[in-house]
Amino acid sequence: MNNISIIDSLNDAQRLAVSAPNRAMLILAGAGSGKTRVLVHRIGWQIQVEGLSIHNILAVTFTNKAAKEMRGRVEDLLNISAKAMWIGTFHGLAHRLLRRHAKQAKLPDTFQVMDSDDQFRVIKRLVKSLNIDDTKWPPKQVMWFINAQKDEGIRAKHMVESGDVYQRTMLQLYKAYEEICNRSGLVDFAELLLRAHELLRDNEDLLTFYQDRFKQVHVDEFQDTNTIQYAWLRLLTEGKDNLFVVGDDDQSIYGWRGAKIENIYSFQSHYPNHQVIKLEQNYRSTSNILKSANALIANNDARMGKELWTDSGDGELISLYTAFNEQDEAYFVVEKIRKWVSEGGSRQDVAILYRSNAQSRQFEEKLMTTRTPYRVYGGLRFFERMEIKNALAYLRVMSNHHDDASFERVINTPTRGIGTKTIDEIRLLAREQELSLWQAAITLISQGQMTARASNALKIFLNLIKSLGEEANDKELFEKVKLIVEKSGLVELYKKEKGEKGEARIENLEELANAARSFDFDEANEEKLNELDMFLAHAALESGDMQGDDYEDCVQLMTLHSAKGLEFKLVFLVGLEEGLFPSQQSADDVARLEEERRLCYVGITRAMEQLYITHAESRRLYGKETYPRPSRFLKEIPAEFLQEIRIRANVNRPVTASTSRPRTSVQQVGTYKMGQRVSHVKFGEGIVLQMEGEGAQERVQINFQDVGLKWLMLSYAKLQVL
Ligand code: ATP
Ligand code: MG
């Protein structure tokens, strides 16, 4: 590849950005304008033209999927293997640094990464063990507090105790939590970033080494960096003008997790020699899609302001579907996908995007029953499933006996006669003497004060872990996993679980061995680090790429947050309802509402050719039936870009029609008939206007006195005949 071909597929502004002489650069542009493309080509340019080695490049982004894609794009562009290149997520790269320099980071070699669920459990136990009332101090809130401090680079020791009860209690918990993590060699996600920052800040040699090594540092989705991430980037590029960032203020969607849009402004003052380049042409979407997105985001006040244009033609209108309920919504979407595939479309070009993970289940069920391959990103990720977490916990304690979180998880899973009393005693001793639970268990046995039965049961457990460790010692990674699965007793445990659930769990455990077998150790790290620990960290960091085959043509399901940076020909944006999207919590808060709107902007701009937006008139979510109003965002998309579609199993029939035909089965469903006066718990009184569908899909349209027309599923609506 020559120099020209690196820039010849770019427009003028993009070329300028890619080929600019080395200096700090800020590429500020809207969705689909080629920011990521510019970043990839910039890397190509530096290697090809500036003569940098792949070792000199650092590139960081937000999701594993985006990182994987970026690596792939660099490899395609340069026709090289970029495995050794430091391309990854902030968390992934921070982890890599900490593994390499565990000692200097003051971590044990066998430190383990906790995902947020693990972290939550540790905190929950902590709150309990300190006899703090968890109704007043919910562990979730404690977790948010701790993570928020870490995101700002604040350790417990930096905080001064104030007279305020809230602050005092939180600080006490933060301190105790830090102690537990240090003792157990546990690192949560926020800690990865904070410690990686401290590692470089406090070790001058190391910092100089990495500053020399990384001649160019690139950041995608810069608008979503938080304080500590940005501080880390600044350290790496201190005194040099080699930070290249791309971003879009309209796509900042992680404010709730500490992202600082202000970093874009700070960048401009920290790197005074920087150059700003704006990109204005969108290459991704049709004009109808783009104009809708532009119109929507114009409702936000806090914007740097920019307009995007495209020359790709109007394309189709955006389709809006009002579903009766969430099942109907899923049915509609899956049927559309089937049609797309039957017409030659590819499944991986299709994405279903939703606000909340809980929405995925309906779609999964419909996809499963129609045997449509799909993959869910995020959500209940493969590595988050209970059985997988149990197996991983065995592996973790095997690798690091002092990993308290995992110890607690497996000590009585499956049950082995170790009672709560024994476990409480272990905890108490551990707390009193500042021991790990493992050490405390050994001490307790040696003190000989337990009953023979309890002591024996505990010994058997400790020996099991030890002997598994010895047996696994010289085995391949996947054999280690198999060994654990077989000997931990988990398989027997799930065999006892009735029905498909147990079977599925056992299948998942088998899949874990496969995951270990195909674990790409090279990609994870170019040096020889402990394979098991790398795999375990991968399990904590990875967002569920285990469903479906990597190469299988799958429909993609994900939250709007995980869709950032991606694009699909056909997109379904589902659940556009008040209370869901925008979410309930954001409805009364202007800043949060604007963030929800940006999220909607992200969603719309994922679509290249066709966009369907759906909402349901009634929805069962989190176990409750709701009758949500359509999302305010729907009104913000100008009507000229929308077409409403209604798919009816039967043709709409007005009350007066069809009298000549014997249609009693349609006109009269159970006790309801057209023109019937009915009452609904929530909507009050109304008149049945239309009926359609059969069996569980039977539905009626009612004109309610107060709320007007509504379609309701008969099986859910619980109407009362008046
Ligand atoms: P987002 O804000 O969503 O992350 P982005 O600005 O990073 O979007 P890219 O993903 O880089 O945009 O580009 C969007 C699409 O447009 C991609 O398919 C990309 O290949 C294509 N594209 C970008 N620039 C050009 C160009 N000059 N010529 C042709 N296609 C382009
Ligand atoms: Mg991008």
Side-chain angles (χ1 to χ4, degrees):
M1 158 132 343
N2 57 34
N3 306 351
I4 301 299
S5 47
I6 287 197
I7 52 169
D8 70 353
S9 61
L10 304 174
N11 66 30
D12 287 350
Q14 292 174 334
R15 281 181 191 189
L16 208 63
V18 167
S19 62
N22 284 343
R23 67 196 290 190
M25 301 275 286
L26 167 62
I27 315 301
L28 196 59
S33 59
K35 294 184 298 298
T36 304
R37 188 177 170 111
V38 160
L39 199 148
V40 166
H41 284 245
R42 172 81 174 170
I43 294 175
W45 178 267
Q46 277 155 351
I47 293 174
Q48 192 79 48
V49 182
E50 306 283 351
L52 297 191
S53 127
I54 54 170
H55 295 282
N56 298 138
I57 305 283
L58 181 93
V60 54
T61 180
F62 276 82
T63 63
N64 292 305
K65 191 167 164 55
K68 212 165 156 182
E69 220 157 279
M70 193 189 283
R71 186 186 298 280
R73 290 209 217 170
V74 171
E75 290 185 338
D76 289 348
L77 181 68
L78 295 176
N79 207 9
I80 54 161
S81 159
K83 274 189 176 172
M85 196 182 289
W86 281 54
I87 295 185
T89 60
F90 278 103
H91 292 103
L93 296 177
H95 171 252
R96 198 163 171 173
L97 266 180
L98 295 178
R99 277 274 170 237
R100 280 183 151 208
H101 309 288
K103 224 166 241 86
Q104 278 152 295
K106 302 189 186 74
L107 284 170
D109 283 342
T110 52
F111 78 86
Q112 302 291 324
V113 181
M114 286 189 285
D115 64 15
S116 32
D117 177 50
D118 292 332
Q119 187 190 16
F120 175 72
R121 281 161 173 267
V122 170
I123 292 175
K124 197 167 153 198
R125 267 196 311 269
L126 174 69
V127 172
K128 209 165 149 213
S129 76
L130 293 178
N131 288 326
I132 292 177
D133 181 355
D134 64 0
T135 51
K136 276 201 210 130
W137 308 95
K140 262 258 140 66
Q141 198 181 340
V142 179
M143 180 165 142
W144 275 95
F145 176 86
I146 293 176
N147 291 345
Q149 305 311 312
K150 290 190 181 187
D151 285 344
E152 291 296 319
I154 302 167
R155 291 240 175 248
K157 65 176 181 216
H158 298 134
M159 297 172 70
V160 189
E161 205 174 288
S162 72
D164 178 24
V165 189
Y166 173 81
Q167 200 263 7
R168 210 171 52 227
T169 313
M170 286 296 180
L171 182 55
Q172 177 197 1
L173 285 162
Y174 187 9
K175 268 190 191 143
Y177 173 73
E178 277 188 329
E179 276 163 26
I180 292 184
C181 292
N182 286 336
R183 197 164 59 227
S184 320
L186 292 172
V187 173
D188 61 52
F189 286 164
E191 181 74 24
L192 280 173
L193 303 176
L194 175 54
R195 215 171 264 250
H197 177 257
E198 291 171 345
L199 172 72
L200 294 184
R201 187 195 61 193
D202 302 340
N203 294 279
E204 213 180 323
D205 295 351
L206 215 57
L207 179 61
T208 317
F209 170 80
Y210 282 107
Q211 283 175 341
D212 286 347
R213 171 177 173 161
F214 297 125
K215 305 262 184 273
Q216 285 294 326
V217 177
H218 308 80
V219 190
D220 200 355
E221 312 277 2
F222 183 67
Q223 75 279 355
D224 276 326
T225 48
N226 66 21
T227 303
I228 199 77
Q229 287 163 336
Y230 180 52
W232 185 73
L233 292 167
R234 281 197 63 202
L235 271 182
L236 278 173
T237 56
E238 209 167 37
K240 295 202 267 176
D241 253 357
N242 59 346
L243 185 56
F244 185 95
V245 304
V246 310
D248 176 7
D249 59 303
D250 286 334
Q251 294 186 70
S252 150
I253 53 176
Y254 281 104
W256 57 284
R257 236 167 52 179
K260 293 271 154 56
I261 187 87
E262 299 86 330
N263 286 346
I264 295 186
Y265 303 110
S266 314
F267 173 93
Q268 306 195 46
S269 55
H270 288 143
Y271 300 87
N273 294 323
H274 74 278
Q275 183 180 359
V276 181
I277 293 183
K278 296 198 170 173
L279 310 174
E280 276 157 357
Q281 182 171 0
N282 171 294
Y283 289 91
R284 178 180 293 146
S285 311
T286 64
S287 179
N288 281 332
I289 293 172
L290 190 62
K291 283 182 179 158
S292 305
N294 284 344
L296 174 98
I297 200 67
N299 290 285
N300 271 7
D301 283 335
R303 295 185 69 205
M304 291 178 170
K306 54 192 166 329
E307 275 290 301
L308 278 175
W309 62 276
T310 175
D311 63 5
S312 69
D314 288 347
E316 295 192 29
L317 291 174
I318 293 171
S319 303
L320 179 65
Y321 180 65
T322 304
F324 310 105
N325 60 12
E326 75 281 0
Q327 290 179 24
D328 180 39
E329 182 185 47
Y331 179 78
F332 170 80
V333 169
V334 173
E335 281 312 304
K336 284 287 167 208
I337 294 176
R338 278 154 61 84
K339 184 159 175 281
W340 163 269
V341 174
S342 74
E343 288 168 359
S346 140
R347 280 184 286 266
Q348 67 204 9
D349 287 332
V350 183
I352 306 176
L353 308 180
Y354 35 81
R355 176 67 183 86
S356 143
N357 277 314
Q359 287 169 262
S360 78
R361 197 178 55 83
Q362 294 296 337
F363 296 96
E364 287 192 65
E365 277 173 13
K366 289 279 183 302
L367 288 162
M368 256 185 298
T369 47
T370 53
R371 297 185 184 282
T372 312
Y374 68 92
R375 183 175 309 160
V376 187
Y377 289 89
L380 195 58
R381 306 180 233 163
F382 179 77
F383 287 118
E384 282 172 6
R385 288 169 206 265
M386 183 179 81
E387 62 279 12
I388 298 297
K389 293 207 73 154
N390 287 341
L392 290 173
Y394 271 99
L395 285 163
R396 286 177 197 277
V397 228
M398 200 175 84
S399 174
N400 168 13
H401 291 171
H402 309 297
D403 179 340
D404 284 355
S406 301
F407 184 94
E408 287 234 15
R409 197 171 177 112
V410 297
I411 184 166
N412 226 2
T413 313
T415 44
R416 47 173 67 88
I418 303 177
T420 355
K421 188 164 161 273
T422 309
I423 299 178
D424 280 345
E425 280 173 25
I426 299 175
R427 283 194 197 117
L428 187 69
L429 189 70
R431 208 166 49 243
E432 282 173 358
Q433 305 198 4
E434 299 198 352
L435 302 172
S436 70
L437 295 173
W438 177 273
Q439 291 164 325
I442 293 174
T443 315
L444 213 56
I445 293 172
S446 67
Q447 286 173 347
Q449 283 163 6
M450 281 190 288
T451 63
R453 240 179 98 212
S455 170
N456 259 342
L458 195 54
K459 267 189 218 155
I460 291 174
F461 170 64
L462 297 180
N463 285 337
L464 171 73
I465 301 293
K466 271 198 254 172
S467 68
L468 282 173
E470 283 156 19
E471 205 176 327
N473 206 9
D474 48 1
K475 287 202 168 15
E476 295 268 335
L477 177 60
F478 81 93
E479 289 172 330
K480 285 184 185 158
V481 175
K482 267 188 150 162
L483 183 80
I484 287 288
V485 168
E486 280 160 18
K487 304 226 164 147
S488 59
L490 289 176
V491 172
E492 279 72 45
L493 175 69
Y494 299 129
K495 270 191 187 147
K496 282 187 227 142
E497 205 170 318
K498 288 205 183 63
E500 282 178 25
K501 216 175 194 154
E503 271 170 46
R505 290 197 200 283
I506 294 170
E507 276 172 25
N508 282 338
L509 287 175
E510 285 161 5
E511 186 56 33
L512 183 65
N514 289 339
R517 195 197 292 265
S518 59
F519 177 56
D520 192 347
F521 189 57
D522 279 353
E523 194 180 318
N525 208 309
E526 73 256 46
E527 295 128 289
K528 270 280 160 210
L529 289 172
N530 182 309
E531 220 176 4
L532 176 59
D533 289 338
M534 289 304 285
F535 178 67
L536 290 171
H538 165 80
L541 289 165
E542 184 60 56
S543 51
D545 283 349
M546 291 299 150
Q547 270 150 337
D549 194 303
D550 236 6
Y551 303 100
E552 203 175 0
D553 184 18
C554 289
V555 173
Q556 324 265 317
L557 274 72
M558 64 190 87
T559 61
L560 287 150
H561 281 99
S562 16
K564 201 164 72 144
L566 307 178
E567 60 189 20
F568 308 91
K569 285 188 180 155
L570 172 60
V571 168
F572 296 89
L573 201 55
V574 300
L576 266 269
E577 293 142 30
E578 287 292 303
L580 184 56
F581 190 27
S583 72
Q584 196 70 56
Q585 302 91 310
S586 59
D588 307 322
D589 178 332
V590 177
R592 288 174 80 165
L593 188 63
E594 293 211 340
E595 181 148 312
E596 293 283 299
R597 192 175 279 111
R598 290 194 290 270
L599 195 55
C600 189
Y601 174 79
V602 167
I604 295 175
T605 54
R606 297 312 95 197
M608 301 165 83
E609 295 173 5
Q610 247 178 300
L611 174 65
Y612 283 88
I613 301 182
T614 62
H615 68 106
E617 288 175 338
S618 87
R619 177 178 301 275
R620 180 165 278 277
L621 195 69
Y622 309 119
K624 256 194 350 224
E625 184 88 27
T626 56
Y627 298 90
R629 276 178 295 127
S631 167
R632 71 192 72 193
F633 300 148
L634 290 177
K635 290 192 209 89
E636 294 173 3
I637 301 175
E640 61 186 292
F641 304 125
L642 289 173
Q643 61 180 349
E644 271 212 58
I645 33 176
R646 272 204 172 266
I647 299 195
R648 296 289 177 233
N650 297 314
V651 186
N652 290 351
R653 283 177 208 90
V655 183
T656 50
S658 76
T659 38
S660 59
R661 277 180 286 162
R663 283 196 178 271
T664 30
S665 65
V666 176
Q667 287 187 18
Q668 182 159 356
V669 188
T671 44
Y672 309 108
K673 54 181 187 292
M674 290 183 198
Q676 173 94 55
R677 283 183 67 78
V678 290
S679 154
H680 182 268
V681 185
K682 178 140 187 245
F683 301 138
E685 283 186 25
I687 290 175
V688 176
L689 292 188
Q690 300 187 59
M691 286 179 278
E692 59 187 35
E694 285 166 42
Q697 299 294 315
E698 277 172 12
R699 47 221 170 201
V700 291
Q701 189 187 38
I702 300 169
N703 189 5
F704 287 104
Q705 275 163 15
D706 296 337
V707 292
L709 287 180
K710 288 262 176 220
W711 278 98
L712 299 176
M713 295 294 282
L714 270 185
S715 45
Y716 286 101
K718 301 208 181 72
L719 296 172
Q720 202 187 342
V721 177
L722 296 175

